[in-house]
């Protein structure tokens, strides 16, 4: 009997060991699938699903047991990795089946469906998600993805699709026909509408170290984006009635509206609305900048911390109420009831706040730990931690690509690893306030140190005042602002108290953010340096002997001191950023940097500078010497305010008029009007590379009738290779340059004039420049038809290689390797990446 008992115990321990080995295998298999450039055929994944349990069973057999633990654990690891790899691939294949057919892109399609989420109202219109029930093209039924993302422009015509904003004014102010019939403001969650829409495949900008919009769309379940057509030849949108679907979204929408109606201060109301409904778009851009600079951005939206705190408070309340009934305690122990009740209420809070991905991860983690506690299992913390990770990835494999996933789980792991027994009252410190403050200070200090390298790896910057900010902000937001904001749903005047507490916190954070040392920015390190830095941070933060903790310092240094490679002396490099419709080119020499144009402005709160260029410059640790804005059109200067604010030392060269708003961003000593060098204008040398302005001349500022005619044309040459950046010059300017300075405009690389418009790239100009490579910066399915097919044909006829940002993403060209341009879409291939026809 004792022998049988010992054998049973051994089997139990062995089973636990196999399970422990399987958990990291599951995580590794998911990570491996996410690195694949393309999906495999479904029979391969199906075979993996069938083989995985067989391999696991083989690892558990006595025959393998005789070979040692490494064989058993290796088999369990491989089986779990194989299963996770296959399940992730099969899910992706199933999702991909509903993709938008390429033939339907750009067509006017009549759709009937339901508004699936609370609409997001903005400066230029309303964005909303739409569940498609039926769709027709020219009276014929067509299949569309079940969920699409739509924009209904405020002017009714879809300015950002049908008309071109030509200066710094809001797109909504452009002169276009106004629509009749229902307006975007009349949309509400749960309503059924009939709309005419124009769709395209989910396509995003792809830049080095940039936000992966296509991945985000995939994770959100969106397989098409588009806009509502309300022009003169289109049927007006028609509201068909309210449905029973999405009642939570409708409630969130009404609560958000009530908050803005009750709280006069829109900035404070936005934070309150974000904490109650999870609407991060309600927070103003300036506030987000302060929150990021002080390291408290995670508090200002529904995050894992909010859900966890809510679950803890709810568990306390449920437990206290449960203990008041002896009958209930006999049926279910009070501790178990408190855990289950806290989990259920926290899940309800997460659902009401939008059921975002961070909330989903947190609920899954809480559910995993609750299940273990309720069933009486006392697993060591590494097993609990790994099980929670695996549970999240089983439901949402793409979570592994999200910064929030890594920050959340690494933070939890750090707290356990640093001192799993350090929990205040559990160690006998007592319930005193001083003991709790000491514990909070230690935990926040440990997290700050341990997560610093990971934060630098993920974002390229970290807050040096984050410890001071979070020590105040965490209890302030979780114990004061959030409870007041949530209670305001029942007692509306409390929203004003919540807003007042938000204003007090914003004042404090504003003081910290204004400090000159508030943030530390470093170049984005390679993966090996970042991983070493994370390990180093963990060693420093853990309670280990000082000699062991000091070993973490050399591991952290590569991440802190990393410098991206720069061109050799006498060489230069161009990076044409993927910014949609517009120009933005980063020019680098050995020790200097120039930014040629800054891309478009998308809305009052968003532009290419803030979205693309600032993160790119931060990741490369660039100190810009000169910002050159070719001319005043908004698709060239829209991102300038963000870039100029980030680079206060940068000089500004442009053809913009003296009273242009951008002039106020630089003193006269830092501004020059671009003038051709042959007319006494700009010419300079950086590190053996010659920069020369070719156009416009001084007289052009008097005679030019269009802003395009004043585009600053810049020639960059090291004697062996030459690049020509020409802005939006058109045929008259091209012919003039070809006639007056034909030798000066001859180049190896040409930034295609006016994004490939029919008004540019004349035959004479191309025959004179004779480029080998031409770069087109234009949006995917550009509303202007850029680049025009006839223009591309002229380049092709002359044997000129053309690369465009829609197919290539960001394009990097180096004078040292002129025949080897790099396309970011090729360098960063993943199965969710849009494959442009």
């Amino acid at each position: 009997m004792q022998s049988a008992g010992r054998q049973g115990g051994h089997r139990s321990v062995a089973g636990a060991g196999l399970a422990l080995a399987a958990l990291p295998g599951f995580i590794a298999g998911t990570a491996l699938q996410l690195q694949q450039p393309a999906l495999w055929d479904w029979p391969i994944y199906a075979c993996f699903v069938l083989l995985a349990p067989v391999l696991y069973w083989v690892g558990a057999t006595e025959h393998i047991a005789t070979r040692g633990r490494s064989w058993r654990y290796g088999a369990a690891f491989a089986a779990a990795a194989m299963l996770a790899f296959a399940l992730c691939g099969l899910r992706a294949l199933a999702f991909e089946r509903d993709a938008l057919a390429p033939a339907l892109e750009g067509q006017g399609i009549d759709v009937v469906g339901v508004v699936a989420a609370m609409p997001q109202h903005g400066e230029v219109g309303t964005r909303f998600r739409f569940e498609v029930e039926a769709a027709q093209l020219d009276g014929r039924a067509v299949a569309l993805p079940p969920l699409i993302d739509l924009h209904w422009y405020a002017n009714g015509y879809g300015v950002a699709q049908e008309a071109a904003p030509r200066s710094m004014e809001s797109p909504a102010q452009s002169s276009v026909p106004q629509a009749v019939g229902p307006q975007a403001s009349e949309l509400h969650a749960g309503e059924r509408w009939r709309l005419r829409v124009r769709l395209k495949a989910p396509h995003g900008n792809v830049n080095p170290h940039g936000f992966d919009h296509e991945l985000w769309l995939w994770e959100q379940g969106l397989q098409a984006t588009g806009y509502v057509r309300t022009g003169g030849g289109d049927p007006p949108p028609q509201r068909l009635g309210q449905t029973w679907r999405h009642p939570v979204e409708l409630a969130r929408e009404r609560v958000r509206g009530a908050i803005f109606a009750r709280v006069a201060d829109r900035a404070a109301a936005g934070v309150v609305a974000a904490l109650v409904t999870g609407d991060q778009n309600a927070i103003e851009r300036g506030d987000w900048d302060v929150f990021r600079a002080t390291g408290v951005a995670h508090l200002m939206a529904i995050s894992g911390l909010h859900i966890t705190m809510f679950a803890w408070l709810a568990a306390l309340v449920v437990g206290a109420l449960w203990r008041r009934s002896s009958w209930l305690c006999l049926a279910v122990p009070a501790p178990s009831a408190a855990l289950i009740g806290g989990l259920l209420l926290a899940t309800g809070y997460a659902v009401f706040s939008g059921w975002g991905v961070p909330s989903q991860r947190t609920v899954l983690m809480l559910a995993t730990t609750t299940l273990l506690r309720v069933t009486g299992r006392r697993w060591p913390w590494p097993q609990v931690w790994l099980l929670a990770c695996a549970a999240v990835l089983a439901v949402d494999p793409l979570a592994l690509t999200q910064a929030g996933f890594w920050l959340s789980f690494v933070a939890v792991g750090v707290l356990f690893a640093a001192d799993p027994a350090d929990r205040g009252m559990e160690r006998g410190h007592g319930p005193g306030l001083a003991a709790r403050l000491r514990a909070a200070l230690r935990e926040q200090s440990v997290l700050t140190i341990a997560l610093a390298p990971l934060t630098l790896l993920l974002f390229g910057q970290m807050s040096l005042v984050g410890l001071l900010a979070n020590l105040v902000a965490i209890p302030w937001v979780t114990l004061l602002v959030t409870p007041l904001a949530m209670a305001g749903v029942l007692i509306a005047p409390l929203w004003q108290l919540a807003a007042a507490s938000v204003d007090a916190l914003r004042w404090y954070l504003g003081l910290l953010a204004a400090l000159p040392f508030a943030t530390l920015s470093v170049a984005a390190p390679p993966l090996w340096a970042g991983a070493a830095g994370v390990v180093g941070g963990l060693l420093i933060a853990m309670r280990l002997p000082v000699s062991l903790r000091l070993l973490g310092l050399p591991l952290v240094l590569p991440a802190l001191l990393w410098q991206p490679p720069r061109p050799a002396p006498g060489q230069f490099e161009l990076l044409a950023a993927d910014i949609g419709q517009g120009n933005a080119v980063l020019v680098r020499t050995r020790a200097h940097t120039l930014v040629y144009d800054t891309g478009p402005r998308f809305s009052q709160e968003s532009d290419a500078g803030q979205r693309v260029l600032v993160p790119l410059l931060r990741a490369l640790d660039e100190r810009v010497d000169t910002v050159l804005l070719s001319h005043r059109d908004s698709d060239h200067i829209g991102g300038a305010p963000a870039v100029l604010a980030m680079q206060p030392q940068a000089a500004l060269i442009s053809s913009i008029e003296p009273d242009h708003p951008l002039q106020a961003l630089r003193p006269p000593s830092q501004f020059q009007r671009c003038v051709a060098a042959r007319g006494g204008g700009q010419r300079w040398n950086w590190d053996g590379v010659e920069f020369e302005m070719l156009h416009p001349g001084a007289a052009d500022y008097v005679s030019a009738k269009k802003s395009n005619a004043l585009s600053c044309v810049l020639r960059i040459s090291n004697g062996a290779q030459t690049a020509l950046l020409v802005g939006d010059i058109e045929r008259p300017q091209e012919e003039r340059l070809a006639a007056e300075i034909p030798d000066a405009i001859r180049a190896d690389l040409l930034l295609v004039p006016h994004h490939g418009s029919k008004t540019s790239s004349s035959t004479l100009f191309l025959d004179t420049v004779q480029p080998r490579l031409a770069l087109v910066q234009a949006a995917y399915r550009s509303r202007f038809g850029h680049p025009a097919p006839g223009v591309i044909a002229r380049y092709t006829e002359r044997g000129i290689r053309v690369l465009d940002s829609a197919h290539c993403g960001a394009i990097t060209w180096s004078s040292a390797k002129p025949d080897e341009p790099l396309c970011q879409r090729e360098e960063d291939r993943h199965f969710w990446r849009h494959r442009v026809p």
Side-chain angles (χ1 to χ4, degrees), residues 271 275 290-291 294-300 303 305-306 309 444 465-483 501-502 504-510 512:
V271 176
L275 292 174
V290 171
F291 298 153
T294 53
V296 301
H298 62 102
L299 294 173
M300 301 306 166
S303 65
L305 178 62
H306 293 92
M309 289 296 296
Q444 191 59 46
V465 297
L467 179 59
L468 293 175
N470 278 284
L471 283 175
V472 174
I474 288 178
W476 191 270
V477 172
T478 55
L479 301 179
L480 179 62
V481 179
T482 301
S501 61
V502 167
L505 181 62
R506 289 170 63 222
W507 173 81
Y508 172 67
L509 296 177
L512 294 179

Side-chain angles (χ1 to χ4, degrees), residues 211-346:
F211 175 71
D212 195 336
H213 187 62
E214 294 176 5
L215 172 62
W216 181 84
L217 290 171
W218 184 292
E219 186 173 42
Q220 299 297 312
L222 298 168
Q223 294 175 286
T225 63
Y227 64 98
V228 178
R229 291 182 56 86
T230 55
D234 300 305
Q238 182 180 0
R239 182 183 183 276
L240 302 180
Q242 183 72 41
T243 71
W244 56 268
R245 289 151 65 177
H246 308 294
V248 173
E249 290 296 324
L250 182 59
R252 293 176 64 218
E253 181 185 351
R254 290 174 175 171
V255 168
R256 181 186 62 181
I259 292 173
F260 278 102
R262 169 72 63 168
V263 179
D265 183 352
R266 182 169 180 83
V271 176
V272 174
L275 292 174
V276 176
T277 68
D279 182 12
Q280 297 186 31
N281 293 318
I283 300 179
E284 296 186 355
R285 174 172 161 182
D287 284 335
W288 274 124
D289 292 339
V290 171
F291 298 153
R292 293 189 183 101
T294 53
V296 301
H298 62 102
L299 294 173
M300 301 306 166
I302 304 302
S303 65
L305 178 62
H306 293 92
I307 304 298
T308 303
M309 289 296 296
F310 189 92
W312 176 67
L313 292 172
L316 289 179
V317 173
V318 171
L321 295 176
W322 202 269
R323 290 184 180 91
R324 298 176 67 89
S325 170
S326 58
W327 180 83
L328 290 176
C329 289
L330 290 174
V332 178
S336 297
L339 288 172
I340 296 172
L343 173 63
L344 293 177
L345 290 173

Side-chain angles (χ1 to χ4, degrees), residues 617-630:
L617 293 170
R618 182 180 294 124
L620 297 177
D621 197 25
E622 291 292 343
R623 185 181 186 276
V624 176
D625 298 275
T626 301
V627 174
L628 198 164
L629 304 177
S630 62

